[in-house]
Amino acid sequence: MAAASDAVQLRASWAPGRPEPAPTRFHRVHGAHIRMDPSGTRATRVESFAHGVCFSREPLAPGQVFLVEIEEKELGWCGHLRLGLTALDPASLPAVPEFSLPDLVSLGHTWVFAITRHHNRVTPEGHPEAELPRRPPPLLEEPYLCIEQFRIPRDRLVGRSLPGLHSHLLDQLYELNVLPPTARRSRVGVLFCPRPDGTADMHLVINGEDMGPSARGLPANQPLYAVVDVFASTKSVRLVQVEYGLPSLQTLCRLVIQRSVVHRLAIDGLQLPKGLKDFCKYE
């Protein structure tokens, strides 16, 4: 793991010649009600509303985003996805706690926050009044998300609603990436950013927008695992692999196509392969 004081190295973590982080996977250790798919990239809670705590298979690298997309919801429960980091090795736990909040957090060295429907932004220090939610800028105008010393292509971070019969009425929301944080297909991620004093800040990212430092003073010199609690109304999540460095040519082409049509349903009229059309509409 890179030293927290090595600012130059951190800024160039995924520059040419440096390997990108390995693909993210869920840990084999998880809550009793979680069913994991064979690839370790999809976690589904199969009963009740609890025992849905999951971990990353490996500790995160500085600036690496552990990103999940909400795939299924379940009516009748109060509460949503919970996300954070822990310095506890999942393999060393005698048993996975029933809840991340407060059970796992009470074990110490764990920082977890509940994702809510509306307001997840952390109020900056010195600003007692809550900051109003903002719409993220269009991807072609600001294609990178900058969090402290890291710059990450935003496209993969953004969740998108499925197009339908009346999609053209909602396309302004689609273009501005405004999906409720707890909605199906919303994408939520966690990462940590080392600081010169040897500690780290934890950041949550929701649909391509940084929510600010949710926790400070994390031990940057210890392995930090992601925590995902598939809790209550959130029934199933899947991992999304994040691009680092430059956006792929495929991503840039899709952004240009989306910018050139009136709304998403108009993509069907373009003389393009079906696979590319689906990629432009759904991903």
Side-chain angles (χ1 to χ4, degrees):
M1 184 175 295
S5 60
D6 192 355
V8 174
Q9 184 176 0
L10 290 172
R11 288 191 183 93
S13 292
W14 298 291
R18 291 181 181 273
E20 292 190 1
T24 54
R25 296 289 186 271
F26 285 114
H27 203 285
R28 59 178 175 79
V29 174
H30 51 71
H33 291 168
I34 286 293
R35 182 181 65 219
M36 200 70 63
D37 80 325
S39 69
T41 61
R42 181 176 282 102
T44 303
R45 194 187 68 252
V46 294
E47 64 177 278
S48 182
F49 62 94
H51 290 291
V53 176
C54 305
F55 305 93
S56 60
R57 181 179 296 177
E58 303 291 340
L60 300 186
Q64 181 182 12
V65 183
F66 195 82
L67 184 69
V68 298
E69 180 176 288
I70 298 173
E71 282 213 317
E72 292 184 57
K73 306 276 291 183
E74 187 171 51
L75 299 177
W77 302 115
C78 181
H80 304 280
L81 184 72
R82 296 167 173 183
L83 196 66
L85 296 170
T86 183
L88 303 175
D89 183 350
S92 69
L93 294 174
V96 178
E98 183 178 6
F99 303 102
S100 59
L101 286 171
D103 299 6
L104 182 64
V105 171
S106 68
L107 298 179
H109 304 289
T110 302
W111 304 264
V112 175
F113 289 81
I115 306 301
T116 65
R117 288 183 184 175
H118 303 294
H119 184 71
N120 297 276
R121 178 169 292 279
V122 176
T123 304
E125 294 180 6
H127 294 76
E129 56 284 326
E131 184 178 342
L132 294 176
R134 298 181 291 109
R135 287 182 174 180
L139 288 171
L140 281 180
E141 293 181 12
E142 292 190 23
Y144 290 96
L145 175 65
C146 295
I147 304 178
E148 298 189 20
Q149 66 268 54
F150 296 102
R151 191 176 75 152
I152 306 165
R154 290 180 55 241
D155 185 68
R156 290 284 181 89
L157 306 176
V158 177
R160 296 172 175 83
S161 61
L162 285 170
L165 182 61
H166 302 291
S167 290
H168 60 288
L169 300 176
L170 300 175
D171 251 30
Q172 184 181 14
L173 296 182
Y174 172 79
E175 291 169 2
L176 294 173
N177 310 317
V178 179
L179 258 183
T182 60
R184 197 166 75 87
R185 297 183 68 86
S186 186
R187 293 184 177 182
V188 186
V190 64
L191 71 155
F192 73 92
C193 302
R195 299 180 61 83
D197 63 0
T199 65
D201 293 344
M202 182 179 83
H203 287 251
L204 298 181
V205 176
I206 299 178
N207 291 321
E209 185 179 6
D210 175 27
M211 296 294 108
S214 302
R216 297 184 185 274
L218 279 68
N221 60 344
Q222 295 184 28
L224 293 171
Y225 294 83
V227 179
V228 178
D229 191 351
V230 187
F231 175 71
S233 64
T234 303
K235 184 175 178 62
S236 180
V237 298
R238 73 174 180 94
L239 287 173
V240 178
Q241 305 305 323
V242 177
E243 292 179 335
Y244 298 95
L246 296 174
S248 68
L249 180 60
Q250 186 181 41
T251 293
L252 293 174
C253 289
R254 184 188 64 192
L255 292 176
V256 172
I257 292 171
Q258 291 172 339
R259 185 71 173 267
S260 302
V261 297
V262 177
H263 53 76
R264 280 186 287 172
L265 294 185
I267 292 175
D268 287 328
L270 300 177
Q271 295 184 356
L272 296 171
K274 183 180 182 302
L276 181 56
K277 291 180 183 180
D278 292 342
F279 179 72
C280 291
K281 289 192 297 182
Y282 301 129
E283 288 296 319

